[in-house]
Amino acid sequence: MNILWVNGWGIPAEWLRNLAAGIFPDAAHTVVPPLAEHELLHERNRFDRVAGYSLGAFLVLREEIQLPCGRPVALLAPYFSFVAEDGLGGRVQRTRLRYLNRWFKREPAGALNDFYERAGLRELSGRSDLPYERKQLLSGLELLMNGTVPAAWPERASGFVGADDPLLDATRLHELCPHLNVISGSGHHPAPLMRSLNRHWTSPC
C-alpha cells in the first residue's frame, strides 16, 4: 500500500515519515510539504490512500471538495479555517498568526520553535535548520492566516482530531462535521491520530 502524506506547517518530512512507518509498517510512505501548488496534491490518485495532517489536511480537504480523487482519504487535525474569529475549527487568533509571520521573517528558527511548543510538538524544539524552503513556509503561513473552505465533508474521507488540541476547537469541528472522530486525551500531535486511523483502516467494518 502506497500512502501520500501532505504534511503540516513547519513539520520535517523525515519526522512525519518515521512516525507513519512505525504505525503503518507494511506501507510505503511519501511525504510532501503543504504547498497548494505541489504536483502530487493534484495527482493524488497515483496513490492507494491519501492523508493530510493539519495544514496538509486543509489542503487535501479543499482539493477533495473540488475534485475527489477516488481514493480513501484521511484528514488528521483538519479544519475549515485556522483563524479563531471565523468559527470554523481553528482557535488561533489572527493577530497571533500575524505576529508569528513577522517573527518568522526576522527569526525563522525562533518562530518555528515557539510554534512547536504551542502545538505540543516539543520533540521538534531546538532545531536550527528549516524543515523546508523559507518561501514555502511563508506561503504556508499565508494559508494559515487566510485559507478557508466551506464546512463540507468529502464522501470518502475519514477525520480525526484530538479532544485537547491547543490549536483546534474539537467541539466546534464535531458540530460542523459529526463524522469527525474526536480522540480523547490527544492534542495536535499526529501520532495518536495516526494510530486511530490505522485502527479505522484495518477494521473489518
Side-chain angles (χ1 to χ4, degrees), residues 8 12 17 22 30 40 46 71 79 97 129 144 154 170 205:
R17 186 181 297 109
T30 299
L40 289 184
R46 290 171 46 185
R71 300 289 188 267
Y79 56 86
L97 289 169
D129 58 319
L144 290 174
C205 299

Side-chain angles (χ1 to χ4, degrees), residues 46-135:
R46 290 171 46 185
F47 296 83
D48 299 314
R49 302 196 177 189
V50 178
Y53 166 59
S54 194
L55 178 56
F58 171 83
L59 289 171
V60 173
L61 174 62
R62 188 169 72 176
E63 293 296 320
E64 285 293 306
I65 289 172
Q66 294 175 353
L67 183 64
C69 69
R71 300 289 188 267
V73 168
L75 304 172
L76 309 184
Y79 56 86
F80 303 103
S81 171
F82 197 67
V83 175
E85 291 89 335
D86 290 343
L88 292 173
R91 64 163 84 233
V92 181
Q93 297 290 326
R94 180 172 274 111
T95 53
R96 177 66 202 175
L97 289 169
R98 288 172 176 162
Y99 174 77
L100 181 65
N101 186 48
R102 292 194 300 271
W103 187 1
F104 181 84
K105 290 176 179 178
R106 295 193 314 270
E107 187 191 356
L112 277 167
N113 285 321
D114 180 77
F115 172 78
Y116 297 148
E117 290 287 336
R118 291 175 183 271
L121 304 170
R122 291 179 179 84
E123 63 260 51
L124 294 176
S125 297
R127 298 172 60 93
S128 58
D129 58 319
L130 297 183
Y132 43 93
E133 291 182 22
R134 177 189 174 98
K135 66 179 181 180

Side-chain angles (χ1 to χ4, degrees), residues 52 138 152:
L138 286 168

Side-chain angles (χ1 to χ4, degrees), residues 116-184:
Y116 297 148
E117 290 287 336
R118 291 175 183 271
L121 304 170
R122 291 179 179 84
E123 63 260 51
L124 294 176
S125 297
R127 298 172 60 93
S128 58
D129 58 319
L130 297 183
Y132 43 93
E133 291 182 22
R134 177 189 174 98
K135 66 179 181 180
Q136 296 174 343
L137 288 160
L138 286 168
S139 175
L141 277 170
E142 183 67 27
L143 271 173
L144 290 174
M145 288 189 290
N146 298 309
T148 301
V149 295
W153 197 255
E155 183 178 352
R156 297 176 63 89
S158 304
F160 302 84
V161 65
D164 304 319
D165 194 314
L167 306 182
L168 302 179
D169 185 340
T171 300
R172 177 58 178 153
L173 282 165
H174 193 258
E175 289 174 353
L176 293 167
C177 178
H179 298 295
L180 187 66
N181 297 280
V182 179
I183 309 305
S184 178

